[in-house]
Amino acid sequence: MDPQEVGAWITANMLDTEAWDRATDQKQAVAVVQAERNLARWYPNISPMAVSIVAFQTVWELQGIDPALKYQKHNVKTVSDNGESISYKDGERPDVAPDVRALLGPTADELAEKEAAEAAQRQYGGALV
């Protein structure tokens, strides 16, 4: 997908565009490619992917470059510098953008895990003695 097409959609439809705006043209292009690659893996049955979906995921990928999010991803709980401290809440940042998840639902892997768990719980016939 063309990064300029994604950029035009972001500019026209999203309020929080800071991550996109401060990225270089090269980083924007890479973020679009990375978003498309991840979306194709998570939602293999949706093709072609809408520009809006790619745009949401692209901005999410660019926001993930934030150093605070990198610390959180590596399970750092607290960072201190000259007496000032930042604490991060437990848990990892999800890979799928919240807007994408709201529109497309669970990923293919999540659906497969759920189906496997349900299959493990099924009971077929039999009698209690």
Side-chain angles (χ1 to χ4, degrees):
M1 189 169 293
D2 182 28
Q4 291 171 342
E5 181 182 9
V6 173
W9 193 94
I10 290 169
T11 302
N13 294 286
M14 294 180 74
L15 289 174
D16 186 8
T17 63
E18 184 180 341
W20 176 262
D21 295 337
R22 73 172 179 242
T24 64
D25 290 344
Q26 188 225 2
K27 287 226 187 249
Q28 289 175 347
V30 170
V32 169
V33 169
Q34 183 171 317
E36 284 183 299
R37 182 179 58 242
N38 288 338
L39 289 166
R41 186 177 72 235
W42 296 326
Y43 300 99
N45 297 332
I46 299 176
S47 183
M49 197 64 68
V51 175
S52 59
I53 301 295
V54 174
F56 285 133
Q57 188 64 35
T58 297
V59 170
W60 189 250
E61 301 284 349
L62 287 168
Q63 288 171 341
I65 295 173
D66 186 310
L69 293 173
K70 285 184 182 179
Y71 285 133
Q72 189 176 6
K73 188 173 187 176
H74 294 291
N75 270 341
V76 173
K77 305 293 183 209
T78 305
V79 176
S80 297
D81 183 28
N82 292 331
E84 293 191 22
S85 174
I86 299 173
S87 295
Y88 302 104
K89 78 178 198 180
D90 290 341
E92 245 184 70
R93 177 179 184 260
D95 291 331
V96 181
D99 291 320
V100 172
R101 186 174 294 282
L103 291 169
L104 300 181
T107 66
D109 290 341
E110 292 167 347
L111 291 173
E113 286 174 15
K114 181 180 176 184
E115 189 175 302
E118 289 173 355
Q121 293 297 319
R122 287 191 200 122
Q123 297 180 10
Y124 300 96
L128 292 174
V129 179

